[in-house]
Amino acid sequence: MDAYTRGYRRAAKHLIAAGLLPAPCTDELQALWRESAEDRRLVAEITENWRTAS
């Protein structure tokens, strides 16, 4: 996993913990999807909540 994806994961978790919605960054979300089940849950949460907020 590259530094951008690691940084996006950390920032997304931080924003979600603060009650905020991270912007969906396609490249990073795709990379996270390939990493682990935990990361797939994070991707699902971001994309579902972003779809709801639109």
Side-chain angles (χ1 to χ4, degrees), residues 19-52:
L20 301 171
L21 180 60
C25 297
T26 306
D27 292 338
E28 285 74 15
L29 290 173
Q30 289 174 347
L32 285 172
W33 187 262
R34 294 187 295 268
E35 287 297 317
S36 68
E38 178 184 351
D39 287 332
R40 283 190 288 282
R41 285 189 293 275
L42 178 62
V43 169
E45 182 175 357
I46 292 168
T47 56
E48 289 297 319
N49 288 332
W50 191 263
R51 212 173 319 167
T52 303

Side-chain angles (χ1 to χ4, degrees), residues 1-9 28 31-32 35-36 39:
M1 176 185 322
D2 66 17
Y4 291 110
T5 304
R6 280 193 304 275
Y8 180 79
R9 179 204 285 149
E28 285 74 15
L32 285 172
E35 287 297 317
S36 68
D39 287 332

